[in-house]
Amino acid sequence: MKKTIILTIAGTDFSFNVTAQDQGDYLDAIARGSSITAASHNFAMRAIDSKQKDDFKKLLDGAPGAELQIASELKNDFSPALAITVKK
């Protein structure tokens, strides 16, 4: 599964192509105890449209911590919360 997600960040639309593999790798890296910042950066950089990669790198360089916010938005939009209940 692949989903294109467009985020407007600092007035610019950025297109991300998120796959189930990208999201799984992101969550696995966090679960293994990797740096959340590094995992978020890698997730966003893997998903950003290749035509926008240079502009996106510049944005990240000028906005420390932005990758955490971006990765969170990508993850939340890619797999929205489900209503799950346990029947007894």
Side-chain angles (χ1 to χ4, degrees), residues 41 54-64 66-67:
H41 176 84
D54 289 338
D55 290 336
F56 187 62
K57 283 181 186 178
K58 289 177 189 171
L59 173 92
L60 292 181
D61 288 344
E67 55 273 323

Side-chain angles (χ1 to χ4, degrees), residues 40-85:
S40 297
H41 176 84
N42 291 339
F43 178 40
M45 289 304 294
R46 276 194 300 269
I48 187 70
D49 186 279
S50 61
K51 296 174 203 144
Q52 295 184 297
K53 195 165 260 194
D54 289 338
D55 290 336
F56 187 62
K57 283 181 186 178
K58 289 177 189 171
L59 173 92
L60 292 181
D61 288 344
E67 55 273 323
L68 296 169
Q69 297 172 61
I70 294 164
S72 176
E73 291 296 326
L74 293 173
K75 185 190 103 23
N76 289 338
D77 191 74
F78 185 75
S79 61
L82 300 175
I84 302 172
T85 57

Side-chain angles (χ1 to χ4, degrees), residues 6-16 48 56 59-60 63 66 70:
I6 298 172
L7 299 179
T8 302
I9 307 167
T12 301
D13 288 346
F14 287 97
S15 182
F16 297 86
I48 187 70
F56 187 62
L59 173 92
L60 292 181
I70 294 164

Side-chain angles (χ1 to χ4, degrees), residues 23-44:
Q23 185 185 26
D25 290 348
Y26 171 62
L27 296 174
D28 288 346
I30 292 171
R32 285 191 309 269
S34 295
S35 161
I36 294 174
T37 302
S40 297
H41 176 84
N42 291 339
F43 178 40

